[in-house]
Each structure stands twice: as structure tokens, then as C-alpha cells.
């Protein structure tokens, strides 16, 4: 009986910790990337590939803010 209580308590603590971690997670930032070929700029949360470089050092919180960046 003690083992069952200990297991249930440990499971409850793990679920609580997991829910707190996901509740406080922030969205991934958006960056402006420019093409090395023609300079075309896009907003993305991750690098689009080898032919692109990060054109802004500022991390935007939403896609709307990122798109307002001058092209």
C-alpha cells in the first residue's frame, strides 16, 4: 500500500511540474532572413536553409512585428 501511495504521489508531482513548465513556455521568436542570391527577405522562426542569412539581430515576438520590418 505504501508503494502505491508513493507511486501516485510521484506521478502527481511529475504531472504538476510538467504542466507548470508548459504554462510558462514562451513562443519561439521570429527573425528576418535574407537570401544570399537575390536579397529577398522573409520572416521565419528558424533558418530556411543554407542560402539564407539572418538579416536582423532583433528577435520579434510575433509574425506581425516581423513583417513590419523594412524590406
Amino acid at each position: 500500500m505504501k508503494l502505491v501511495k508513493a507511486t501516485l504521489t510521484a506521478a502527481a508531482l511529475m504531472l504538476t511540474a510538467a504542466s507548470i513548465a508548459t504554462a510558462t513556455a514562451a513562443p519561439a521568436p521570429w527573425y528576418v532572413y535574407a537570401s544570399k542570391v537575390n536579397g529577398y527577405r522573409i520572416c521565419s522562426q528558424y533558418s530556411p536553409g543554407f542560402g539564407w542569412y539572418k538579416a536582423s539581430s532583433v528577435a520579434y515576438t510575433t509574425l506581425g512585428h516581423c513583417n513590419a520590418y523594412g524590406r
Side-chain angles (χ1 to χ4, degrees):
M1 196 65 167
K2 279 187 168 183
L3 182 60
V4 173
K5 283 185 180 180
T7 303
L8 289 175
T9 303
L13 287 174
M14 289 188 332
L15 287 173
T16 302
S19 66
I20 290 172
T22 57
T24 58
W30 292 84
Y31 292 98
V32 176
Y33 289 93
S35 170
K36 292 180 181 178
V37 175
N38 59 6
Y40 182 75
R41 294 175 183 242
I42 62 168
C43 291
S44 181
Q45 290 181 320
Y46 54 89
S47 176
F50 178 71
W52 297 81
Y53 66 94
K54 195 182 292 185
S56 71
S57 59
V58 177
Y60 298 98
T61 55
T62 65
L63 179 59
H65 288 117
C66 186
N67 282 335
Y69 180 81
R71 290 185 178 222

